[in-house]
Amino acid sequence: MRIETKKDSLTVAIVRLFTTSHLSLLFLIISLLAGAAALFLTPREEDPQIIVPVMDVFVQVPGASAEEVEKQVTTPLETLLRQIQGVEYVYSASRPGEAVVTVRYLVGESLENSLIKTRDKVLANQDIIPPGVTNWLVKPVEIDDVPILMLSLSPQRSDMEATDLRRVADELLERLREVDNVGKSWVVGSPPRRISIYPDPAKLQAGNITLPDIQQALAKNNVNLPVGTLTEQNKEIILEAGPHYQMAEQIGGTVVKVADGRLLTLRDVTQIIDGGADTDTYTRIGFGPAVAHMQTAGEFAKLPAVGEERPLTTIAIAKRKGSNAVSVAEQVLAVTEQLKGTLIPDDVLMTITRNYGETADHKVNELVMHLSIAILTIIVLLALSLGFKESLIVSLAVPMTFAVTLLCDYLFGYTINRVTLFALILSLGLLVDDPIVDVENIHRHYKMRKEPPLQALLSAVDEIRPPTILATFAVIMSFVPMFFITCMMGPYMAPMAFNVPVAMLMSLVIAFTVTPWASFKLLKGDYGKNHGAEFHLKETRGFKIYQAIVAPLLASKAKAWLFLLVVLIAFVASAMMAVTRVVPLKLLPFDNKNELQLIIDMPKGSSLESTDEVAAALG
């Protein structure tokens, strides 16, 4: 008598290995730990970053009119820059004495290579640069240059000078630049400190002093140069000539000329004012009724009255590329809290007028909360339809799949943003299909009791293996075309094209590893190891309703074609709702911002003061 044993297929061998060993438990623990680490380490942003290399070419042409700048500089430079490979658009703006030409490359082009190509193109054609051009500069424009945090400083007392506010902002900016991952940062509003020198014509004539004499005296005295070293008592002392001017009094004491044995200083022939630069912008802040409510609650006792406007100086903080906007904003705010009362005086009010780190974190946490609600809903529905243990088995696939998917996001450079989480929520209903099919078929084989538990489990998984694999890859292939979307929507939708296929692939892996192992551990005791009576399917009320609907379609070809025609008409009607704009079309839900920007178009030639009056009235 010869006994033949059937060799396991690859799928069955994998299921047997993970079911009878501790690999599934290790896979479960490692994946959850890796997912938790990825959730904290992956940078968080509101939207995916789109790499669109943009270069600004600044050209200085002193003395030339706007028309001359356009004809001699802007137009030839535009023609030159369009010849660069990868350039999509070229924009320009010509003004008296200067021009700005903006080069926009195709989406996905390397920023560094685009910068090099732009500079090389200008350098290689210096022989055709007009003689009037004195300077040119190529500067890249990046999405990371947009500030994620704006700290606005306003005075608490009306006699505080704008230069004092600017000085506080400049010193605070230097401290904030020391924070890790702080990128480009600058100060807006309040003129910077400037020491202005106003010569007295009568005194200059009396002392026979010219303006070049004053310039030469300032240039000679405002130096700090090493002049040598001095060794004394085994110590080396570095000698310097200088130092630079540090206060207005030092400038006033600068000797301009020696006349009749008397020293003529700058203070004798000029007026020196230590103040702010010429005002070219006005910035202010006002407080509305919402602040009044907080003020009456005693939370902000130093805020101005409602409707009152005061000068404003804003510190704009951007982050480095690839860094976490949430952590950068939190670290900067922590430093400012430590500096209150010392570097930031008590009579200066600091208001956070923008915090994209907080909004990004709020949106990510909100989506995570909705994701948790969706997972809980699935567990409850599965518990009602399959049973508690069955729902627990299926629910294991959800955190494991999301954990591995977030880990892949971190490894491949994707951030956690609303498109990434939208892709996870979208795939939530799809990724539980494979485990549900597995558990249902294992449940059926255990009820039939035709084989021992382990063999019944292997038979159940092997039975639904081809349709499970086919269905999973059908879903994956439906998202693959999203990888080929061009222009700006390509990188914007890339997280969805990446996350959904990864999640589906992981759900398939879990369906052949962890799900059978969990089913074997949790369901084996309920359904016994011994063979029992043959299992018969009971016709429930739901089955009878389903049979009454489907049976006529299967029995009559005419009814089947009529049913397909109705489905086709319904499909076309639903598609026409989008074409006819019956339903609004939008890629993502509306994102309401708590900011409103008004752009005032004043008549040509309007002064800064008149524009400021209109802005103040609108405020």
Side-chain angles (χ1 to χ4, degrees), residues 17 80 95 117 132 140 163 171 205 220 232 326 387 408 425 431 482 511 519 558 579:
L17 174 63
L80 193 67
R95 291 186 289 268
K117 288 191 291 186
T163 53
E171 293 179 1
Q205 188 175 5
K220 291 179 180 179
E232 183 179 354
V326 179
C408 292
I425 294 175
L431 64 90
M482 298 186 71
S519 301
V579 176

Side-chain angles (χ1 to χ4, degrees), residues 30-264:
I30 293 174
S31 63
L32 294 180
L33 292 177
L39 184 62
F40 287 101
L41 295 177
T42 307
R44 296 186 176 191
E45 296 173 327
E46 286 194 51
D47 297 297
Q49 287 193 349
I50 304 174
I51 300 177
V52 185
V54 177
M55 308 295 155
D56 284 339
V57 183
F58 299 90
V59 185
Q60 300 293 328
V61 194
S65 64
E67 291 77 10
E68 292 173 339
V69 171
E70 182 180 9
K71 291 180 181 179
Q72 298 180 12
V73 178
T74 307
T75 302
L77 188 57
E78 284 183 359
T79 305
L80 193 67
L81 296 176
R82 285 198 191 97
Q83 301 172 6
I84 302 176
Q85 184 70 25
V87 170
E88 186 174 14
Y89 299 109
V90 177
Y91 317 93
S92 66
S94 301
R95 291 186 289 268
E98 61 180 1
V100 180
V101 180
T102 302
V103 185
R104 174 178 155 186
Y105 287 80
L106 294 170
V107 178
E109 289 283 328
S110 171
L111 179 65
E112 291 76 13
N113 292 340
S114 301
L115 178 60
I116 293 173
K117 288 191 291 186
T118 305
R119 287 180 174 173
D120 287 349
K121 195 66 174 179
V122 178
L123 286 173
N125 293 273
Q126 283 189 325
D127 56 327
I128 62 174
I129 294 179
V133 175
T134 59
N135 187 28
W136 60 268
L137 177 66
V138 179
K139 293 183 66 176
V141 180
E142 302 182 58
I143 187 63
D144 289 304
D145 293 340
V146 178
I148 63 167
L149 188 66
M150 297 182 71
L151 307 176
S152 299
L153 305 178
S154 56
Q156 295 284 22
R157 48 186 176 86
S158 57
D159 60 339
M160 178 177 285
E161 296 291 337
T163 53
D164 296 334
L165 200 63
R166 177 62 181 252
R167 193 171 303 175
V168 173
D170 289 337
E171 293 179 1
L172 179 59
L173 179 62
E174 293 302 319
R175 296 292 296 272
L176 296 181
R177 282 174 174 169
E178 299 175 0
V179 178
D180 292 339
N181 293 319
V182 167
K184 186 177 180 181
S185 52
W186 62 96
V187 176
V188 179
S190 295
R193 182 188 181 189
R194 175 182 294 177
I195 299 177
S196 302
I197 302 175
Y198 298 95
D200 188 328
K203 294 180 179 180
L204 291 180
Q205 188 175 5
N208 195 21
I209 298 174
T210 62
L211 292 179
D213 293 337
I214 296 177
Q215 292 177 342
Q216 291 178 6
L218 291 172
K220 291 179 180 179
N221 288 274
N222 189 28
V223 294
N224 190 51
L225 299 174
V227 295
T229 60
L230 176 64
T231 303
E232 183 179 354
Q233 296 180 357
N234 294 327
K235 293 183 178 180
E236 187 176 6
I237 303 173
I238 299 176
L239 302 179
E240 295 180 346
H244 294 293
Y245 293 134
Q246 296 181 354
M247 56 186 65
E249 289 77 8
Q250 295 175 342
I251 299 176
T254 302
V255 177
V256 181
K257 194 173 185 179
V258 180
D260 299 330
R262 188 170 66 91
L263 300 178
L264 293 178

